[in-house]
Amino acid sequence: MFADSLKTKIKELTKEILTDDWKTNYSIKNTKSLGIQDAELIISDFLEHREYACAFEHLEYVISETETQLTAEQAQKMEKLGLILKMK
C-alpha cells in the first residue's frame, strides 16, 4: 500500500512539473537528449517496474539539466519524496 502511494505521488508530481508549457520550452527546443525529451515515458517505466528511486532521480535529473524553476510547493514535495526514498 505504501508503494502505491509513493508511485502515485511521484506520478502526480511529474505531471505537475512536466506540463505542456515545460515540454514546449525544454524538452523539444533546448535539448536533443532523449532522457529529457522522453522524461515522462522513462519515469512512467520506472514506476511500472516499482523502481521508485530511479523514477525520482530521473525527475531530479530532468529538473536540474533543464534548469526548471519549481514553485515553493513543488520544491517542498520533491524534498519530502527524497526524504521518504532515503528511508527506504
Side-chain angles (χ1 to χ4, degrees), residues 8-79:
T8 300
K9 287 179 182 187
I10 294 171
K11 186 182 288 189
E12 288 173 355
L13 186 56
T14 299
K15 286 182 182 182
E16 188 178 317
I17 295 170
L18 306 183
T19 63
D20 288 338
D21 286 340
W22 178 89
K23 291 174 195 169
T24 299
N25 292 325
Y26 295 107
S27 68
I28 296 169
K29 290 183 189 175
N30 297 339
T31 186
K32 293 181 182 180
S33 168
L34 294 178
I36 294 173
Q37 290 180 355
D38 295 336
E40 284 183 294
L41 178 61
I42 292 166
I43 292 167
S44 179
D45 284 346
F46 280 134
L47 293 175
E48 290 306 312
H49 291 96
R50 298 180 181 223
E51 297 177 19
Y52 306 120
C54 291
F56 180 77
E57 288 171 5
H58 194 74
L59 180 57
E60 284 183 314
Y61 161 76
V62 170
I63 291 166
S64 174
E65 287 298 309
T66 59
E67 298 178 352
T68 299
Q69 297 297 312
L70 301 180
T71 66
E73 182 181 346
Q74 291 168 337
Q76 186 177 37
K77 289 178 183 179
M78 288 291 294
E79 186 175 336

